[in-house]
Amino acid sequence: MSLRLAFRAALLSGAALAAALPAHAQSRAQDEPTRLDEIVVTAPNYVTTVGESGTKTDAPLTEVPQSVSVISRDQIDLLGWTSLMQAVRYTSGITSENYGPDERYDWLTLRGFNPVQFIDGLQAPTGSVANIGTDLWGFEAVEILKGPSAALYGQSPPGGIVNLTSRRPQDRFGGELEVLGGNFRQFQLAGDVTGPIAARADGRLTALWRQRDTQLTGVESKRAYVAPALSLDLAPRTDLTLLGYWQDDEVTGDGGGFLPAYGVILPNPLGDVPTSTNLGEPDFNRFDREQGAIGYDLRHAFSDTLTLTQNLKFFTNEAYQTGPYGTGLLDADFDGVPDDYRTVTRSQFAFLEDVDSFAVDTRLNAKFATGALRHDLLVGLDSRSTDNRQASYFGAAPSIDLFEPVYGAEIVEGPLFTFLDQTQQQVGLYASNQIRFTPGDEGLVLSLSGRQDWVETDNHLTDVTIDDEAFTGRIGLNYVMPGGWAPYAAYATSFQPVAGATFEGELFQPSEGEQIEAGIKYDGRDLPAGIDLFATAAVYALTQTNVLTPDPVPGRPFFNVQTGEVEVKGLEIEAVARINERISLNAAYGYTDSEVTASNGADLGKQLPVTPRHKASLFADYTFQDGPLAGLGVGAGARYMGTAFGDGANAFEIPSVTLVDATIRYDRDDWRLAFTASNLFDKEYLSRCTALTQCFYGTRGLYAVSLSRRF
């Protein structure tokens, strides 16, 4: 609680694109070179070729033996994305918005699994959900590491992780103010200002306030976000950046979806269920969350070749939600057929979750040579301690009419029951070495990474302590060729602790993941000035073992064994380009073949939920630089999601859908007037059905007009 008070007080087609660009460059070379200083510069850092998440160093992405997608702030601003779920739409291998217009969390699926969220390289205080719903406005970049990443980050799912990099202070004065309005009564004020505030000190303050409704009747969302930052030049070789943020969310009236399948995905003789249907109580349902973090990034260079880096954060995240939700159509005689196809039974649910964590990562980076070999050696020790308390209440609630809901029923909320109170401590010792076999920037790069983790989980309700340990690694080989091409191959592993025990009382072992991946990257380094391009193509085969599955012994219906196994194989192609400050392209295609290969349940041989075999997307944007339209930008994108399944048994198929997004903006001097549209044609579609009682519509059309001023 004192920490929370302190927060308040302190505050595609990559190959086709690559083949087309040399011809364009040749024709340009015969003309007068483009004079970039005379055009309207709107996204100078649209394409990113360097990211720290893949190696915890500043190695180019072409030298990272793993698929990594970096979504820059310029991409986010130019295309008008306002949430993490929107930002990953044009990235391969990852899907989002799995539960429709949810104002609480960012629901993501990466290579078949829910990725864990990191902030500035440290795991966020995730509890019952793998992310914490932090606002995208506060971050400079989104990095998606695809595949096992435990060799650097410890326990994590085999599909990968998502790391958000906070906005940092700059040594030159600048900033932005924005006012935004849109449908569903959306109104937003956002600001960001940075610059020197004293000798050897730079500051930054980022803030946002937003209010909006959703497509569901009677739902309103409010959010406040503040993130102060301070960079100190402590010595010629020592830099310290203090980082903090505080976010408060309030969502009222949201029943969470939970629509019956009849009228959504199955026929209902009374008609289709409207996408605005809310089976909660607008005057009772609510979700309140307060979260924040405070910490620092420290960097000290002992020399040009030896550097010490430390990242540290205290996190806090407290959320409470309550209200009735739908539990399916009334079937009083239990014959499997709804009585009247309109009366929906409901239950009352309340849930409290309080997660506090402390994380610190200290690493030493040494660059040296042994004969003809050049080494980039990283040795680190990180530690994380997380306290997680969860309590809930389940009870009955009055039924409601599916097609003509009448609100105002009396809802009884009983006392909360604490069912989880645990502390988990993880300590990891890791080392990584990138070995270059040639003196220049080209040639072979061998990457070797290994990590030993010790995880202790203390259950304060049962006084049971579980000790887990695991060794994970990554070995990869990149060959950086002349011209920017870099084929690579890699093998990596991961682990995740699993709570619980078998019928005999034997504690579960961590689940394990392993992956083989091969691909090629292209960074366009030799293209003419004004053309930025980064493209990747990869194939992979991923396996997860020690997966929980029902105990096959009769008489043990509520127990599991660890004999399950999952396999995921896929192909991913992705390209991001920016040409002469005129054309922007985001192209991606992903093929994901997932299968439960060992199970005692109905999911045997089935596809993983919300993991479509095909996902394809293309966004193209053009900025006029000449004549009376100079400064006008127009963009449009289409994203296709193939058929998928909402449940593990694959009983509920999610139909394929193609959605269109668009943006129009006008830049003049330091002003921007923009219109953005998500799901431009307001298409109604199904997001997911997990059971006969739990269906969720996709997000309808969202339209917004914004006016911003940069300085």
Side-chain angles (χ1 to χ4, degrees), residues 66 111 113 146-151 154-160 451 469-475 490-498 509-517 540-547 562 564-568:
Q66 184 175 353
R111 291 187 175 179
F113 302 89
K146 304 173 186 178
S149 303
Q155 57 174 308
S156 54
R451 176 178 172 123
E469 64 176 86
F471 179 83
T472 53
R474 182 180 71 180
I475 178 171
Y491 171 79
T493 61
S494 66
F495 84 102
Q496 273 187 298
V498 178
Q509 298 298 310
S511 65
E512 299 178 348
E514 63 175 359
Q515 176 184 271
I516 298 175
E517 177 176 313
Y540 66 91
L542 185 159
T543 302
Q544 185 187 37
T545 55
N546 282 353
V547 178
Q562 277 191 293
E565 182 180 86
V566 174
E567 291 184 358
V568 184

Side-chain angles (χ1 to χ4, degrees), residues 168-337:
R168 307 300 172 96
Q170 304 297 312
D171 59 4
R172 297 182 60 184
F173 178 75
E176 178 181 6
L177 294 174
E178 179 188 69
V179 57
L180 180 147
N183 63 331
F184 298 119
R185 299 198 308 165
Q186 180 175 197
F187 180 75
Q188 174 177 299
L189 288 173
D192 175 50
V193 61
T194 185
I197 58 177
R200 306 175 72 174
D202 304 319
R204 190 160 196 165
L205 181 63
T206 305
L208 173 141
W209 183 85
R210 180 174 66 230
Q211 174 180 307
R212 64 185 178 196
D213 299 345
T214 74
Q215 66 196 45
L216 302 183
T217 300
V219 177
E220 183 180 31
S221 170
K222 295 180 181 179
R223 170 172 292 175
Y225 176 88
V226 178
L230 177 65
S231 289
L232 301 173
D233 185 6
L234 299 181
R237 292 182 176 269
T238 305
D239 299 314
L240 175 67
T241 300
L242 305 175
L243 297 167
Y245 83 89
W246 169 82
Q247 179 174 310
D248 184 77
D249 289 285
E250 179 184 332
V251 183
T252 58
D254 192 351
F258 294 97
L259 301 174
Y262 293 99
V264 177
I265 194 173
L266 299 176
N268 187 319
L270 302 181
D272 296 333
V273 177
T275 58
S276 60
T277 301
N278 183 4
L279 298 181
E281 289 287 339
D283 293 331
F284 189 90
N285 285 77
R286 76 178 190 274
F287 171 82
D288 298 314
R289 176 179 60 205
E290 185 176 1
Q291 62 171 288
I294 188 168
Y296 64 79
D297 290 358
L298 174 67
R299 184 180 184 276
H300 174 71
F302 295 100
S303 66
D304 293 338
T305 58
L306 185 62
T307 304
L308 176 70
T309 304
Q310 185 178 78
N311 307 97
L312 179 148
K313 271 187 173 61
F314 291 94
F315 289 100
T316 183
N317 185 7
E318 182 177 6
Y320 175 73
Q321 65 180 39
T322 185
Y325 66 98
T327 56
L329 291 171
L330 179 66
D331 180 16
D333 53 9
F334 302 101
D335 63 352
V337 179

Side-chain angles (χ1 to χ4, degrees), residues 138 158 294 407 439 571 628 654:
I294 188 168
Y407 303 115
L571 163 70
I654 306 171

Side-chain angles (χ1 to χ4, degrees), residues 331-375:
D331 180 16
D333 53 9
F334 302 101
D335 63 352
V337 179
D339 293 352
D340 58 7
Y341 284 92
R342 68 182 310 146
T343 301
V344 177
T345 59
R346 295 191 298 179
S347 292
Q348 159 64 13
F349 172 66
F351 179 69
L352 171 68
E353 182 169 38
D354 190 355
V355 185
D356 296 309
S357 71
F358 167 75
V360 58
D361 182 7
T362 307
R363 53 197 181 273
L364 191 65
N365 183 211
K367 299 182 180 181
F368 59 93
T370 56
L373 304 181
R374 293 183 299 143
H375 301 263

